[in-house]
Amino acid sequence: MTLEEELVSKLKERFGDRILEAKVQRARRIFVTVDRSAYKDVIRFLRNDVGVTHVSTISGVDAIDHFEVIPHLSYKGIVVSVRAIVPKDKPEIDTITDVIPGALFYEKEVHEMFGIDIKGHPDLTHLELPDDWPEGLYPLRKDVKLEELFRRITKERD
Amino acid sequence: MGLVDWARLRSPWVLHFNTGACNGCDIEVVAALTPRYDVERFGIRLVGSPRHADILIVTGPVTKQVEKRLKRVYEQMPEPKFVMAVGNCCASSGAFRNCYNVYPGLDNVIPVDVYVMGCPPKPEAIINGVVKLLEKLKKLKGGAS
Amino acid sequence: MEGEAVIQELIDVLRTLLFPGFLFFVILGLFFEWIDRKFYAKLQNRVGPLYTGPWGLLQPLADFVKLMAKEDIVPEGAIKPIFSSVPVFALALSLFAALFLPVCGPQGIVSFPGDVIVLAVVLTLLVILVFLGGLSPASRYPEVGAERSVLQLLGYEIPLVASILGATAMTVGLGGSLSIEGIVNAQRDWWSILGFQALGFAIFLLAAQAELERVPFDIPEAETEIVAGWTTEYSGKKLALLRLARDVELAFLCGLGATLFLGGPWPGPLVPGLGGAIVSTIIFVIKSIVVLLLLTVIRAAMSRLRIDQMVNFAWKYLVPLSIFQLLLAVVVAPLMIHLLTL
Amino acid sequence: MPIFREVLRTAPKKRATLLYPFEKRDVPLDYRGRIEINYDLCVGCGLCVKECPSQALELVTLPDGKKKPRYYVARCTFCAQCVESCPRNAIKSTQIYELATYNRKAEVVEPCGTSR
Amino acid sequence: MSNIVDVPVGPQHPALKEPLNITCYVDGEQVVGAKLRIGYNHRGIEKAGEYQTFIQNLYIAERICGICGIVHAFDLAQATEHIIGKEIPRRADYLRTIGLELNRIHSHLLWLGVAAHEIGFDTLFMYVWRDREVVMDVIEDFTGNRVTYALVTIGGVRRDLPQEKAEKMLRVMDALEETVKKYKEMCLNEKTIRMRCDGVGVLRKEDAIALCAVGPTIRASGVPFDIRADDPHAAYDEIPFKVVTYDTCDVTARILVRIDETLESINIVREAIKKMPSGPIRARLPRAVPVGEGVGRTEAPRGEVIHYVRSNGTDRPFRWKVRAPTLANLLSIPVMLTSKGDYVVYIADVPITFASIDPCLSCTDRAVKFVDVSSGKSWVWTFSQIKRMYWKDKPCWRERP
Ligand code: SF4
Ligand code: SF4
Ligand code: SF4
Ligand code: SF4
Ligand code: SF4
Ligand code: SF4
Ligand code: SF4
Ligand code: SF4
């Protein structure tokens, strides 16, 4: 059994149904989908019991009918992408900064770009957007169209 | 040509301002100062204070956040002053046309005298741009006097 | 009788204004800036100014003229009288200092016993001007630059004066007076630098570099740190005058080095006798250029010190060394000479 | 102080400087400079327009009804993607890199061959 | 003079960088904590990416940054190829490797020069940049431009490396090796450099790991974390190379890691040219990418770059996420700037520490905000004022403890 498969089976064994989907895409790439409630436990398990220390980044995705928050963890060269499903009507998720401190900036980014509330995050100010950015405008949401951003942020184009 | 015009053409001091460039043009501007190209030959000096500068070299698409500071630097420069836009993203936002946080060209913010096209332009092309700017200056003077 | 006095007066005025006075030193200053830039570029494998006049010779002039013609902005909130007068005073002071140099004979235009002391005072005054110039625009970078120059002054002032006095002491030891003329004439057949003054010369070079605020002591102007230091807010004419003052000061300090340690206009140990005015001038300028080139090498081969490191260095090494060499010059050298001549 | 040695060693060396406007280095033959469109070969398929990353090409309809790309030099990123995209090899990269202009809006190549 | 000064415009300089704000918490002359604010260079590339085709995105990716541009283009291509699920020709892998390593060489040399300029050592800056020009020539010869390579495309590379160009490249590498060795010698023996870098900006191993530092920053803390070795992409699985680590964890270590890596890169380029198989350089892949997602990782000169791409079956990405290495390293800055036990950070160490991670957003706005922890007062200083402050508090004739 390869290292990748071993990791997947470990996760399945530990979390059972709370892992919605787990697949090895190719060498050194694993995608795991978890329920929002299990998200932090999975990260904690990976950190404490498997020995994952490095989070490369956290991708937020607006998948039209829900949001996804995907931390990409790195373990012995394997990228483990843990996908948490976040419903649109209640966009919030637990922070993982207390488990992996390196996630600080990435969670901020998810917050400002998608408007997902990160519960327990120590400092949810803007990371990249300017301070006078319009309240409630989350540029990477799919319902925010590029034309609207142009109109609101910079002047007409030639 | 008067003494002053002669001096002006031979002592262009430049100030470099990055308005959100990808660094590509910046390293080429810096490279133009280093031994291979050595723009000091033309009397060009890179200065740090807007008060000492004759030419403002701007690189990068103008991002929303930088607009105010750019205007302030421009206002601080003493007359006569010139602006040179280096790189196509400075001229017209180039590859960043679809980015919401940039202006479509430097001339939306401050007047521009010469554009150096390229992405990034070679240091030679930047020198060429300076030469063009000086030519423009010469003509301006010729017309006036 | 009457007529002769008038003519003498006229000659003196001309000497002061044209040669070897103000005009000469302004031109020399611009010329030295060119040498400095060219040689600096050479050391960096570049060419430096090239197209302004032959080999870029007129580059400093072009810079000067251009700045003179540029808009002159007085920043808001500046203390105007001080801000505007500093450049004029700086230029006047450095030109005044230059009058003391023995360019075309063993005597400067101004010469009297004790003039060496006056020179040391003038050098300090120049730094005070920098301080005023930096404080007056009420802007942050110049302020920092100004404070730094004074801090720096604390470090190099003593070595500078000590090295000047060391050179003077030789003459006193030989029965001369405390004047430049005395120092120059004492080196008639033996340059100071070849004797006990080699150390003094080295100290003088470093201190001069600091006085001129050049690498490694360009802390008050550190471009990557505080834009252009105390000159940040100056533009147009005022900047032109400031830069010219700097150039004259550069020429003056190089000339001073040549005077104190390289025998001024004296042709050298092997060729006794003083040439005419023209020959003397040429010899003097060549010697100054040698000093200038040494200063440029220092500038090229060092990195900027931090202000604390600079002051540290000055107090730990420069000051003790300069006092040591002063002792050497005052006590040991005359003793030796005395013994030798016995 | 190794740098002292280095500095003194450099002094007598020949300059590393290229006296640019008077001396020029050869540009590699396949340099990606300004592009050149051969409108005789172009069939107006629009592929180049579709894949240009900076909208430097725009399809216009000529009076005779044919479609051809118009080229805005000041928007181009000189990536030569269009050279690759064109099925008729109508576009070439040139070695031209000295592209300074006073008016960016004038730097447009019109399909009829004239510049605006 | 009042303590509160407004934020300055900052030196408009050969500012190779994007701006940033640091807030330092000080107690007397010691820094006891720091906070960062970035984002003045935000352009909104990720959003634009969703409106452009994959091919177009390759070029905008390259322009996320001109210094390690090819890395971003390569990474996007790699992630996309993972979605498509087809292997690309081996020769393309080797050509990509050469491109990536040339990029690393030029970037590290560039940094060395800028660092020298930073401490007022303009001559060294001039020398380094002069010698860097030959690398730029090689790159231009190979890719058609000095800075933006436009080399990588989805499915392979766009240009081949003919024999004579490869030979020229090898000659340049040999000459460069000598030069870089000389610079290493110089940095090790130049007293002023050592004075300002030894024991400064320490990032302990545990902290580096916890804060997910990447690249030379974490390797200078003794952790052999290098994507090229851990997660081999391009042709790194077939080319032997050493992962350079130093364990003094300070600024000197970061300088040495970069210089040694440059030497290592020179070897990789040679090796890659030698081992490169013949064959096609690209596979024709469909323009419309099938539904799926992919993660690409690459070791850029400054550390790990990661791209996440999601496709919904069209020729435009549904989501494209980029993380550049500097963002990962910024988090370590507050730790390096926090005194702890024996390790004392002086205010004067702030600038050099900051420069040591090779931030691409350093100098344009180099103001630091200070908050006094005991009184709660806050004010802003430039880096230069810090140095002055440092002097005031420490009489010059006393050595630093
Ligand atoms: S013109 Fe091109 S290389 Fe220059 S800054 Fe813009 S994107 Fe970068
Ligand atoms: S070279 Fe690139 S940017 Fe220029 S027109 Fe062609 S595809 Fe567009
Ligand atoms: S791709 Fe070629 S044939 Fe098609 S429009 Fe462009 S230039 Fe013409
Ligand atoms: S054969 Fe070539 S030119 Fe003709 S339609 Fe097909 S791709 Fe276009
Ligand atoms: S200039 Fe050329 S492209 Fe424009 S309308 Fe006339 S024919 Fe058409
Ligand atoms: S950090 Fe220093 S070297 Fe870099 S651009 Fe700013 S001032 Fe220049
Ligand atoms: S990469 Fe990130 S920081 Fe850069 S422009 Fe895109 S969203 Fe902004
Ligand atoms: S880390 Fe620096 S060099 Fe790399 S992409 Fe970002 S800004 Fe560019």
Side-chain angles (χ1 to χ4, degrees):
Chain A
M1 199 155 62
T2 59
L3 206 54
E4 289 89 339
E5 286 161 354
E6 205 174 300
L7 199 59
V8 167
S9 64
K10 250 193 218 163
L11 274 170
K12 281 197 172 136
E13 189 184 312
R14 176 75 159 63
F15 290 98
D17 287 354
R18 294 167 80 196
I19 302 273
L20 302 177
E21 193 199 343
K23 68 163 196 277
V24 179
Q25 184 205 26
R26 54 182 290 132
R28 299 185 299 277
R29 295 287 183 277
I30 303 179
F31 289 90
V32 185
T33 309
V34 302
D35 193 65
R36 177 164 54 153
S37 60
Y39 169 64
K40 193 158 180 179
D41 294 337
V42 170
I43 304 282
R44 196 175 279 135
F45 170 75
L46 286 172
R47 168 77 183 85
N48 296 340
D49 300 343
V50 181
V52 173
T53 55
H54 184 88
V55 55
S56 295
T57 190
I58 302 181
S59 302
V61 179
D62 180 352
I64 315 282
D65 38 357
H66 58 260
F67 291 121
E68 293 173 8
V69 173
I70 316 176
H72 306 281
L73 307 160
S74 164
Y75 170 65
K76 294 192 178 159
I78 303 174
V79 183
V80 189
S81 304
V82 182
R83 183 197 330 271
I85 309 287
V86 180
K88 279 214 159 163
D89 48 0
K90 203 159 171 258
E92 55 180 45
I93 195 160
D94 290 326
T95 179
I96 56 166
T97 43
D98 44 349
V99 185
I100 303 178
L104 194 86
F105 281 172
Y106 310 137
E107 290 195 336
K108 269 179 145 182
E109 203 180 353
V110 169
H111 169 73
E112 72 177 354
M113 292 292 171
F114 293 93
I116 298 175
D117 191 22
I118 314 285
K119 279 192 304 191
H121 191 282
D123 171 33
L124 274 186
T125 48
H126 279 314
L127 178 73
E128 281 160 1
L129 299 179
D131 290 324
D132 57 359
W133 186 262
E135 189 78 24
L137 180 65
Y138 300 110
L140 285 184
R141 282 197 181 180
K142 285 283 177 188
D143 53 1
V144 178
K145 293 280 179 266
L146 196 55
E147 290 69 31
E148 185 192 346
L149 286 168
F150 275 131
R151 212 180 52 242
R152 291 181 66 168
I153 308 303
T154 43
K155 288 174 223 150
E156 287 293 303
R157 299 195 295 164
D158 61 352
Chain B
M1 195 171 41
L3 182 66
V4 171
D5 296 337
W6 169 85
R8 227 168 243 165
L9 287 176
R10 277 161 183 81
S11 168
W13 291 3
V14 304
L15 177 74
H16 173 201
F17 193 106
N18 175 337
T19 54
C22 80
N23 290 347
C25 287
D26 305 74
I27 58 181
E28 295 299 69
V29 169
V30 176
L33 298 168
T34 57
R36 164 81 72 86
Y37 305 101
D38 189 27
V39 291
E40 202 189 355
R41 287 179 291 136
F42 300 92
I44 296 177
R45 289 177 50 143
L46 191 68
V47 295
S49 166
R51 296 252 189 256
H52 302 183
D54 305 302
I55 301 177
L56 180 65
I57 292 190
V58 183
T59 52
V62 188
T63 66
K64 179 80 181 152
Q65 294 96 308
V66 95
E67 180 194 358
K68 251 197 230 116
R69 291 206 329 222
L70 177 64
K71 279 189 174 147
R72 194 153 82 217
V73 165
Y74 182 70
E75 278 156 17
Q76 279 185 356
M77 286 170 59
E79 295 283 351
K81 55 189 168 189
F82 305 92
V83 177
M84 184 165 141
V86 170
N88 269 359
C89 69
C90 192
S92 67
S93 77
F96 304 111
R97 280 187 82 71
N98 280 327
C99 298
Y100 54 79
N101 214 29
V102 305
Y103 284 105
L106 176 63
D107 41 17
N108 287 291
V109 181
I110 54 174
V112 180
D113 293 284
V114 69
Y115 302 85
V116 180
M117 298 185 287
C119 188
K122 279 162 78 85
E124 284 104 322
I126 298 176
I127 297 176
N128 178 260
V130 175
V131 171
K132 268 237 160 127
L133 182 58
L134 295 179
E135 266 166 25
K136 176 174 182 174
L137 228 149
K138 210 188 280 180
K139 260 187 231 134
L140 268 183
K141 289 295 143 188
S145 61
Chain C
M1 203 60 216
E2 183 76 340
E4 249 172 58
V6 171
I7 289 173
Q8 189 56 42
E9 196 113 296
L10 211 70
I11 288 177
D12 276 351
V13 169
L14 283 183
R15 266 170 58 101
T16 313
L17 286 183
L18 299 180
F19 179 86
F22 295 158
L23 187 67
F24 174 71
F25 266 94
V26 165
I27 294 173
L28 197 67
L30 293 176
F31 178 55
F32 273 27
E33 186 195 332
W34 174 78
I35 295 185
D36 180 46
R37 277 169 76 171
K38 258 325 227 202
F39 189 57
Y40 187 57
K42 178 88 193 138
L43 292 178
Q44 294 181 344
N45 219 201
R46 301 185 287 131
V47 288
L50 188 61
Y51 304 125
T52 315
W55 308 290
L57 198 55
L58 299 180
Q59 187 62 52
L61 181 67
D63 287 349
F64 178 74
V65 173
K66 178 208 71 181
L67 283 174
M68 285 305 274
K70 234 177 133 70
E71 187 191 6
D72 193 348
I73 301 175
V74 177
E76 250 173 76
I79 310 170
K80 220 179 149 200
I82 304 183
F83 184 77
S84 313
S85 53
V86 161
V88 180
F89 275 116
L91 181 60
L93 216 53
S94 10
L95 281 173
F96 171 66
L99 294 184
F100 288 84
L101 290 183
V103 178
C104 50
Q107 249 184 9
I109 295 174
V110 185
S111 166
F112 50 85
D115 50 8
V116 172
I117 307 293
V118 177
L119 272 190
V121 173
V122 168
L123 285 175
T124 309
L125 277 180
L126 275 169
V127 178
I128 306 271
L129 274 182
V130 166
F131 185 66
L132 288 177
L135 285 191
S136 57
S139 159
R140 246 175 357 275
Y141 298 122
E143 222 168 74
V144 178
E147 285 180 32
R148 282 184 178 189
S149 25
V150 172
L151 286 182
Q152 187 159 296
L153 175 74
L154 295 179
Y156 68 79
E157 170 89 300
I158 294 180
L160 182 63
V161 173
S163 63
I164 295 178
L165 285 185
T168 321
M170 290 285 281
T171 28
V172 180
L174 292 172
S177 70
L178 216 61
S179 74
I180 298 216
E181 191 185 353
I183 297 170
V184 171
N185 285 335
Q187 300 179 69
R188 179 193 308 252
D189 3 67
W190 196 244
W191 297 353
S192 297
I193 189 179
L194 300 174
F196 288 92
Q197 294 303 321
L199 181 60
F201 184 59
I203 293 172
F204 176 83
L205 281 184
L206 285 177
Q209 196 79 334
E211 168 81 32
L212 290 165
E213 293 173 356
R214 284 148 56 97
V215 174
F217 305 117
D218 65 334
I219 308 163
E221 288 177 9
E223 173 218 2
T224 54
E225 294 163 18
I226 45 177
V227 190
W230 66 279
T231 60
T232 302
E233 293 293 341
Y234 280 99
S235 55
K237 281 186 199 58
K238 301 193 182 75
L239 184 64
L241 291 182
L242 278 178
R243 287 176 52 87
L244 187 62
R246 248 307 125 76
D247 290 344
V248 173
E249 200 186 341
L250 175 68
F252 162 69
L253 277 168
C254 293
L256 187 63
T259 307
L260 294 181
F261 303 97
L262 299 176
W266 288 95
L270 300 178
V271 194
L274 204 57
I278 293 175
V279 177
S280 298
T281 310
I282 293 172
I283 290 175
F284 181 82
V285 169
I286 289 176
K287 284 178 179 173
S288 307
I289 290 178
V290 170
V291 178
L292 174 67
L293 295 185
L294 286 174
L295 287 179
T296 308
V297 171
I298 296 180
R299 172 155 93 104
M302 285 198 169
S303 65
R304 181 186 317 123
L305 294 177
R306 223 162 44 199
I307 183 79
D308 59 304
Q309 286 170 340
M310 145 74 201
V311 180
N312 210 333
F313 168 77
W315 282 93
K316 257 190 25 218
Y317 303 102
L318 270 191
V319 173
L321 270 179
S322 62
I323 290 177
F324 169 72
Q325 79 89 24
L326 186 57
L327 281 180
L328 212 65
V330 175
V331 183
V332 184
L335 215 67
M336 293 262 295
I337 292 169
H338 193 66
L339 287 178
L340 279 176
T341 47
L342 250 176
Chain D
M1 287 248 149
I3 185 82
F4 251 112
R5 244 177 294 139
E6 186 64 28
V7 164
L8 294 178
R9 230 181 269 151
T10 308
K13 269 195 205 155
K14 191 180 175 313
R15 64 179 152 83
T17 309
L18 171 87
L19 303 179
Y20 162 69
F22 311 108
E23 286 170 26
K24 289 186 187 176
R25 283 171 64 83
D26 291 340
V27 182
L29 285 177
D30 42 7
Y31 182 78
R32 277 183 283 115
R34 182 189 203 276
I35 60 159
E36 204 174 81
I37 306 172
N38 183 340
Y39 287 107
D40 294 338
L41 290 180
C42 171
V43 293
C45 65
L47 279 179
C48 55
V49 176
K50 187 159 169 280
E51 289 189 336
C52 172
S54 56
Q55 298 165 27
L57 297 169
E58 184 183 55
L59 217 54
V60 293
T61 314
L62 297 186
D64 59 3
K66 282 189 186 140
K67 288 192 158 90
K68 300 272 154 110
R70 173 190 284 158
Y71 176 41
Y72 297 87
V73 188
R75 292 184 192 169
C76 182
T77 58
F78 306 98
C79 60
Q81 176 61 42
C82 49
V83 176
E84 204 174 295
S85 302
C86 179
R88 305 290 307 233
N89 287 331
I91 309 185
K92 295 253 163 335
S93 272
T94 63
Q95 287 169 284
I96 301 170
Y97 62 88
E98 290 152 317
L99 296 167
T101 175
Y102 300 127
N103 180 2
R104 71 172 164 108
K105 300 218 166 92
E107 293 295 319
V108 180
V109 178
E110 295 290 352
C112 62
T114 58
S115 277
R116 192 163 54 183
Chain E
M1 205 182 79
S2 97
N3 254 345
I4 298 158
V5 231
D6 60 331
V7 186
V9 183
Q12 309 309 332
H13 188 264
L16 302 170
K17 296 123 200 217
E18 312 153 46
L20 163 141
N21 255 327
I22 318 175
T23 306
C24 282
Y25 297 89
V26 294
D27 189 1
E29 62 176 282
Q30 285 185 19
V31 183
V32 296
K35 232 169 80 184
L36 306 166
R37 172 80 175 94
I38 60 169
Y40 293 87
N41 203 3
H42 173 76
R43 292 166 287 197
I45 291 175
E46 290 179 6
K47 185 75 178 179
E50 294 174 7
Y51 288 77
Q52 303 186 155
T53 64
F54 281 96
I55 300 278
Q56 288 174 319
N57 281 340
L58 281 176
Y59 301 106
I60 199 172
E62 189 140 26
R63 285 161 183 81
I64 288 171
C65 172
I67 302 180
C68 50
I70 185 180
V71 177
H72 287 284
F74 165 75
D75 218 32
L76 174 60
Q78 186 182 227
T80 314
E81 282 151 12
H82 285 182
I83 303 179
I84 299 173
K86 281 228 183 71
E87 290 303 317
I88 67 160
R90 212 49 198 147
R91 187 175 173 87
D93 275 339
Y94 274 88
L95 288 168
R96 287 175 173 189
T97 309
I98 294 172
L100 289 169
E101 290 308 316
L102 287 175
N103 181 273
R104 192 181 323 275
I105 295 170
H106 115 77
S107 172
H108 281 348
L109 287 178
L110 176 139
W111 175 81
L112 188 60
V114 170
H117 171 69
E118 186 87 31
I119 58 170
F121 214 150
D122 272 352
T123 307
L124 184 57
F125 162 70
M126 290 289 180
Y127 288 168
V128 173
W129 277 61
R130 174 196 64 199
D131 297 331
R132 176 178 160 275
E133 279 298 320
V134 297
V135 188
M136 303 306 275
D137 287 346
V138 167
I139 293 173
E140 184 180 43
D141 201 29
F142 177 25
T143 67
N145 189 298
R146 290 157 48 93
V147 176
T148 43
Y149 298 23
L151 178 68
V152 179
T153 189
I154 294 167
V157 293
R158 293 176 52 193
R159 283 194 184 211
D160 206 348
L161 181 66
Q163 192 58 32
E164 63 275 24
K165 287 189 181 179
E167 270 158 21
K168 184 178 165 210
M169 201 179 276
L170 285 176
R171 279 197 302 276
V172 168
M173 289 302 130
D174 290 344
L176 196 67
E177 190 172 20
E178 286 311 302
T179 325
V180 175
K181 280 186 178 150
K182 197 167 70 191
Y183 290 132
K184 182 175 180 184
E185 193 67 10
M186 230 177 250
C187 289
L188 279 173
N189 297 326
E190 199 60 42
K191 211 168 152 228
T192 34
I193 297 181
R194 298 304 296 265
M195 246 158 89
R196 292 179 73 161
C197 302
D198 281 359
V200 171
V202 173
L203 179 67
R204 289 174 312 142
K205 194 171 174 178
E206 311 86 82
D207 293 331
I209 294 173
L211 294 172
C212 308
V214 297
T217 309
I218 196 170
R219 288 198 285 277
S221 294
V223 184
F225 178 66
D226 187 329
I227 306 295
R228 289 176 293 173
D230 298 347
D231 184 2
H233 40 273
Y236 289 113
D237 47 351
E238 286 176 6
I239 298 174
F241 67 96
K242 206 169 85 228
V243 175
V244 182
T245 59
Y246 276 82
D247 49 13
T248 47
C249 308
D250 56 2
V251 176
T252 315
R254 279 168 223 141
I255 296 178
L256 292 175
V257 165
R258 290 205 177 86
I259 296 183
D260 281 0
E261 262 178 24
T262 313
L263 292 170
E264 218 38 62
S265 294
I266 292 173
N267 277 331
I268 297 178
V269 171
R270 283 191 194 132
E271 198 70 12
I273 293 177
K274 212 161 59 196
K275 280 195 174 166
M276 186 159 52
S278 53
I281 57 165
R282 68 189 290 182
R284 287 281 163 194
L285 297 185
R287 283 195 157 91
V289 176
V291 181
E293 58 192 341
V295 174
R297 282 207 298 175
T298 316
E299 182 72 19
R302 287 155 188 79
E304 173 199 37
V305 161
I306 182 164
H307 283 221
Y308 169 76
V309 181
R310 167 93 60 102
S311 164
N312 58 357
T314 62
D315 59 355
R316 284 148 216 253
F318 181 73
R319 171 82 171 100
W320 171 35
K321 159 85 190 165
V322 180
R323 204 273 284 127
T326 298
L327 186 62
N329 282 333
L330 278 179
L331 216 46
S332 314
I333 293 273
V335 175
M336 295 180 198
L337 292 181
T338 303
S339 309
K340 206 192 235 166
D342 280 350
Y343 175 59
V344 181
V345 183
Y346 294 98
I347 295 174
D349 296 333
V350 173
I352 183 74
T353 302
F354 186 59
S356 73
I357 67 159
D358 195 357
C360 313
L361 26 70
S362 95
C363 75
T364 317
D365 193 348
R366 303 193 304 163
V368 189
K369 187 171 172 212
F370 290 91
V371 177
D372 193 320
V373 281
S374 44
S375 67
K377 246 190 346 198
S378 80
W379 66 96
V380 178
W381 269 340
T382 58
F383 278 1
S384 51
Q385 287 169 309
I386 299 170
K387 290 172 190 168
R388 178 193 49 160
M389 164 75 187
Y390 177 70
W391 189 86
K392 245 197 228 155
D393 279 6
K394 294 202 65 66
C396 47
W397 42 86
R398 231 197 299 142
E399 271 289 14
R400 232 181 70 179

